[in-house]
Amino acid sequence: MSPALFVYNSTIPCADIRHGKDMFELKLRQLLETEGFIRTRDAREAEIFYHPACLVDAFFRFRPTGWWRNDIRQLTRTAESKQIERAVLSDIRMLGYGHKPHIVNALRCFSEKPMAGEHAATNAVFPVLWGSRRFLRFCSEAVGGAINQDRSIHMPYCPASPAPNLLTNQARPIRILFLGSNVTKGAAYSRRAVLDALQRTNGSVLLLRSRAHGINASSLDVMRQAVYTLCPEGDTPDSERIYHALSRGSVPVLNSAFQPPGFADWSKFSVRIRVDPGTGALVLPTGVHQAALQYNAQMNARTFECELDNPYFRRYVALSVMRLATHAAVTTARREARKHHN
């Protein structure tokens, strides 16, 4: 049985500053405000609460300049980020149920390891909503080890538009594709090693694009010609590229740190990056295994669309909210039992 969820009204807009990358905030708001889903309009009946403020979008609009290089103790928050956090906390205080479990939108998921560097600085932009452990979260990026599933709901990069129509027998002349950037100077990561392996792989195509110019929808259609799409780690293990590939029926080749949101069985339509130590080329399935991966990738082209009529999306959100509500209830019961015992 689904928990009763109360959804706050929010005046903080989704401005889509990253051009569809944080669509989960808008799509969640639409789903969780739907009548007959898991929402209750009576806060007295609610077991868990959700404030739909688009905090991730706001973070990228109002983060401090050079935030990733700052010591947290020296980070100067912008007036806008302070105002947004105050507004959300005021909504919660005015309703009067702040003692009950609350979910907010966040960039990073809770993980088994403490966040450091730029990831810790991210939380410091909203020090109460993100920097404390008071709030549960819907989140789009998993860094720092295994996700804490009792406090986080890991969301995909929801495709900004529906998947194009696919033909199951469509010819794919490119064996493996990489479309993106290889940032090395001034970045905390480099894709050089894995891109070198790509270029040693038969049937590979490397299309480098600068981060400044970005990648538009028409350029993404080249993925419809690729059996596999290479999805190496960047700033984080999560990448839009993974979902762009799937929506075009291309099998994503995932980096080892990526933690897939549990919409479906990823082993059926994705593989992990492996390099042959002898040849230095990427190791990719062939024959029957490749055919099965291709078929399942095309069958799951719409699985990760965050739309009201997508049963995978609805089921994942409902079960995840239930998981968080159940854990919060158990934690509260144990706390009360310890009080009574003492």
Side-chain angles (χ1 to χ4, degrees):
M1 184 176 179
S2 298
L5 174 77
F6 182 87
V7 181
Y8 288 84
N9 291 322
S10 176
T11 58
I12 299 167
C14 288
D16 195 22
I17 188 68
R18 294 207 294 170
H19 308 292
K21 202 168 185 178
D22 305 310
M23 288 293 287
F24 83 91
E25 294 185 301
L26 178 60
K27 297 297 186 179
L28 275 173
R29 180 184 294 193
Q30 293 171 350
L31 175 64
L32 295 175
E33 288 178 348
T34 302
E35 293 296 335
F37 188 52
I38 58 176
R39 180 188 181 191
T40 176
R41 291 186 176 275
D42 188 344
R44 294 170 298 180
E45 297 176 351
E47 300 165 61
I48 192 164
F49 294 72
Y50 171 57
H51 199 295
C54 292
L55 298 177
V56 179
D57 185 73
F59 168 81
F60 284 103
R61 283 190 288 145
F62 304 123
R63 58 186 172 175
T65 303
W67 62 276
W68 63 89
R69 294 189 292 266
N70 286 336
D71 185 314
I72 296 176
R73 294 166 296 183
Q74 300 174 354
L75 187 144
T76 302
R77 298 166 62 207
T78 62
E80 292 89 348
S81 66
K82 292 179 181 178
Q83 182 179 3
I84 287 169
E85 183 166 71
R86 282 197 299 267
V88 173
L89 293 173
S90 175
D91 288 345
I92 294 170
R93 184 174 59 254
M94 292 289 289
L95 188 66
Y97 292 89
H99 60 287
K100 290 198 171 184
H102 278 65
I103 311 173
V104 297
N105 298 320
L107 182 62
R108 310 286 195 229
C109 298
F110 284 113
S111 65
E112 64 182 10
K113 298 178 183 176
M115 293 186 184
E118 69 173 71
H119 304 308
T122 299
N123 285 343
V125 172
F126 297 119
V128 179
L129 296 173
W130 289 4
S132 70
R133 294 185 63 83
R134 176 179 167 188
F135 294 93
L136 309 172
R137 55 183 61 175
F138 286 107
C139 48
S140 60
E141 295 180 354
V143 297
I147 297 171
N148 183 334
Q149 300 285 352
D150 294 328
R151 301 188 58 80
S152 306
I153 300 175
H154 186 197
M155 299 300 297
Y157 287 129
C158 303
S161 58
N165 292 327
L166 297 171
L167 300 174
T168 55
N169 60 350
Q170 178 181 332
R172 293 182 180 262
I174 300 171
R175 188 171 184 220
I176 181 165
L177 167 75
F178 176 74
L179 174 64
S181 66
N182 180 26
V183 179
T184 55
K185 186 176 180 181
Y189 68 96
S190 172
R191 294 172 174 150
R192 179 172 296 170
V194 71
L195 294 187
D196 285 348
L198 173 75
Q199 292 181 288
R200 295 189 187 100
T201 306
N202 291 333
S204 65
V205 171
L206 174 63
L207 298 176
L208 290 178
R209 298 287 188 272
S210 72
R211 301 180 89 186
H213 291 92
I215 298 172
N216 58 37
S218 60
S219 64
L220 289 169
D221 278 343
V222 69
M223 292 179 178
R224 301 180 71 172
Q225 302 177 44
V227 177
Y228 297 100
T229 294
L230 182 64
C231 302
E233 190 167 359
D235 294 307
T236 69
D238 296 271
S239 171
E240 272 188 300
R241 186 177 296 103
I242 296 167
Y243 303 101
H244 288 318
L246 279 170
S247 70
R248 288 159 178 82
S250 184
V251 178
V253 183
L254 306 170
N255 65 81
S256 60
F258 174 66
Q259 300 179 64
F263 276 51
D265 182 356
W266 284 71
S267 68
K268 292 183 177 179
F269 50 78
S270 69
V271 294
R272 296 286 177 169
I273 295 173
R274 290 174 54 217
V275 178
D276 187 312
T279 65
L282 294 170
V283 178
L284 299 170
T286 58
V288 173
H289 188 190
Q290 175 181 301
L293 288 166
Q294 282 187 267
Y295 175 80
N296 287 319
Q298 293 185 59
M299 292 301 100
N300 282 277
R302 296 183 179 274
T303 295
F304 296 93
E305 291 180 0
C306 302
E307 303 296 339
L308 301 184
D309 61 353
N310 180 2
Y312 295 97
F313 176 50
R314 294 172 66 90
R315 182 174 183 273
Y316 179 74
V317 172
L319 291 177
S320 298
V321 171
M322 183 186 301
R323 184 184 71 241
L324 264 58
T326 300
H327 181 263
V330 170
T331 301
T332 300
R334 287 174 177 169
R335 188 184 304 120
E336 292 300 318
R338 283 196 296 270
K339 280 185 187 178
H340 183 73
H341 179 75
N342 293 335

